[in-house]
Amino acid sequence: MHLPAVPVSQSPEDKFREYLASRSRPQRYTEQQRDMVRYIFSQHNHFDADQLTEDMRRAGFRVSRATVYRTLTKLVDAGLLRCLETGPRKYYEHDYGYPQHEHMQCQVCGKMIEFQNTSIEAILREVCRTHQFQATSHTFIIQGTCAECNQARVPKRRLDLI
Amino acid sequence: MHLPAVPVSQSPEDKFREYLASRSRPQRYTEQQRDMVRYIFSQHNHFDADQLTEDMRRAGFRVSRATVYRTLTKLVDAGLLRCLETGPRKYYEHDYGYPQHEHMQCQVCGKMIEFQNTSIEAILREVCRTHQFQATSHTFIIQGTCAECNQARVPKRRLDLI
DNA sequence: ATTCTTGCAAAGCCTTTGCAACTGC
DNA sequence: GCAGTTGCAAAGGCTTTGCAAGAAT
């Protein structure tokens, strides 16, 4: 479920190093951070901190929960990841090199479906103008049932009717 | 910050009693639940469980945290309240007798500003049709700074420059 | 009388943090 | 070697829950 990528000049890794170096107090680029950046950008998932920890461990990396949490915060701050706060936990997705989009979330299988809609930006501008509101971000998530989960249900209902 | 109310035939209290009675196992209408329904619908706030508990206590009611949590769940299920899950805690607002709307949330003062936009429903329908997605609800929240908090900042900046 | 609700405190879930050991620069 | 990072385990913030006592029908 990809949208077309946005061309960028730097690799995510280089962009992160640049971010770390440009701090008023320069931060360090460690092995675990490097592993995380590479792992995250080798996939295209929506994930939370614990999923990432487990997945990376299964893939043979040595990562600690605390460092995953700390590094995810930095990656958001660096503009590499975007954080979706919908419900009790935080989900992350690519931001660097990836276009603006919205989400549909299937409440059966949990899948996140991305979509783009050109009218939304106009709505944002208009609403903010009329309310003199200075927007910094927005969250648009449609909850429901995805096509596959919907199909999987219909046969079940039919059987129930017999 | 009200939107025009939607006319309804029953009082929130009656609607809740009806909901409780119509369960396959009828549930009971207790004093604390009655106090909560009346208190909540005598105001027009966005609130979370702990805010409500404190406010009601200050107003002289005897309510326990656990019961507030349990009753809020029932009120959502009964269609009286809507739950906004944005971030770590759950916010509640009137649903019964109140029109569909979206939110702007000020990250400085926390205020929730409600707005309506007629194009959003069309977008929802179109996106769901193209993805064969069965929507049950949606969340549209614009984060940023409200007009008042924005104004309060400008004078401060000017002073900083002296 | 029966069954649901209440209230307390404990547990759960996710995230953050204090601190000693460690490591990048 | 200095200053930032790591990892553990503990603490934090919010919500849910087990259970005995209490209340609604």
Side-chain angles (χ1 to χ4, degrees):
Chain A
M1 255 314 150
H2 278 247
L3 298 174
V6 169
V8 285
S9 51
Q10 281 175 307
S11 72
E13 205 177 334
D14 287 346
K15 176 153 167 99
F16 190 45
R17 302 200 68 153
E18 190 177 276
Y19 160 84
L20 292 172
S22 70
R23 314 263 72 200
S24 59
R25 287 202 179 182
Q27 300 186 329
R28 281 158 200 178
Y29 191 52
T30 63
E31 191 182 323
Q32 195 172 147
Q33 293 174 344
R34 173 178 55 84
D35 288 347
M36 282 184 61
V37 175
R38 289 190 186 167
Y39 186 85
I40 289 169
F41 280 87
S42 73
Q43 316 231 326
H44 188 82
N45 289 332
H46 292 78
F47 58 89
D48 65 34
D50 276 9
Q51 274 168 31
L52 180 67
T53 307
E54 276 184 46
D55 290 352
M56 286 190 67
R57 279 181 183 164
R58 249 192 293 274
F61 293 100
R62 203 180 119 287
V63 286
S64 91
R65 200 179 299 260
T67 302
V68 167
Y69 276 101
R70 284 190 275 236
T71 304
L72 286 173
T73 304
K74 291 186 186 187
L75 291 174
V76 169
D77 199 44
L80 290 183
L81 295 181
R82 198 182 293 130
C83 179
L84 284 88
E85 303 196 48
T86 166
R89 65 181 76 185
K90 297 178 171 187
Y91 289 94
Y92 295 88
E93 63 174 12
H94 296 183
D95 187 2
Y96 185 63
Y98 206 71
Q100 170 63 47
H101 61 276
E102 318 303 335
H103 297 91
M104 293 189 279
Q105 184 169 32
C106 177
Q107 289 167 325
V108 178
C109 68
K111 184 169 50 191
M112 284 282 200
I113 300 162
E114 304 171 343
F115 70 90
Q116 292 181 294
N117 185 293
T118 46
S119 327
I120 290 174
E121 211 174 323
I123 294 176
L124 280 172
R125 258 197 300 273
E126 192 212 311
V127 172
C128 289
R129 188 174 45 72
T130 58
H131 289 81
Q132 297 291 307
F133 191 86
Q134 190 78 43
T136 56
S137 67
H138 70 272
T139 308
F140 189 177
I141 301 176
I142 305 175
Q143 287 95 17
T145 315
C146 73
E148 291 83 63
C149 291
N150 233 337
Q151 282 196 326
R153 262 183 203 189
V154 178
K156 225 180 177 183
R157 280 226 192 87
R158 286 214 181 106
L159 284 174
D160 288 346
L161 290 175
I162 298 174
Chain B
M1 252 321 146
H2 277 247
L3 297 173
V6 170
V8 284
S9 51
Q10 281 176 307
S11 71
E13 205 176 333
D14 287 345
K15 179 157 166 95
F16 190 44
R17 299 200 71 152
E18 192 177 276
Y19 161 83
L20 292 172
S22 70
R23 313 264 71 198
S24 60
R25 289 204 175 180
Q27 299 186 327
R28 284 158 199 179
Y29 192 52
T30 63
E31 191 183 324
Q32 194 172 152
Q33 292 174 344
R34 174 176 54 83
D35 288 348
M36 281 183 62
V37 175
R38 289 189 185 167
Y39 185 87
I40 289 169
F41 279 88
S42 73
Q43 315 230 328
H44 187 82
N45 289 331
H46 292 77
F47 58 89
D48 64 34
D50 276 9
Q51 273 167 33
L52 180 67
T53 307
E54 276 185 45
D55 290 353
M56 286 190 67
R57 279 181 183 165
R58 249 193 294 273
F61 294 99
R62 204 179 120 285
V63 287
S64 91
R65 201 178 299 259
T67 302
V68 166
Y69 275 101
R70 284 190 274 235
T71 304
L72 285 174
T73 304
K74 292 187 183 184
L75 291 174
V76 169
D77 200 43
L80 290 183
L81 295 181
R82 199 180 293 130
C83 180
L84 283 88
E85 303 195 47
T86 163
R89 66 181 76 185
K90 296 179 173 188
Y91 289 94
Y92 296 88
E93 63 174 12
H94 296 183
D95 188 1
Y96 184 62
Y98 206 73
Q100 170 63 49
H101 61 275
E102 318 303 335
H103 297 91
M104 293 188 279
Q105 183 169 33
C106 177
Q107 289 166 324
V108 178
C109 67
K111 183 169 52 192
M112 282 283 200
I113 301 163
E114 303 172 343
F115 70 91
Q116 291 181 294
N117 186 294
T118 46
S119 327
I120 290 174
E121 213 175 319
I123 294 176
L124 280 172
R125 259 196 301 274
E126 192 212 311
V127 171
C128 288
R129 187 175 45 72
T130 56
H131 289 82
Q132 297 291 306
F133 191 85
Q134 189 79 42
T136 55
S137 66
H138 70 273
T139 309
F140 189 177
I141 301 176
I142 307 176
Q143 288 94 16
T145 315
C146 73
E148 292 84 62
C149 291
N150 234 338
Q151 281 195 327
R153 263 185 203 186
V154 179
K156 225 177 175 185
R157 281 228 190 87
R158 287 214 180 104
L159 285 173
D160 288 348
L161 289 176
I162 295 175

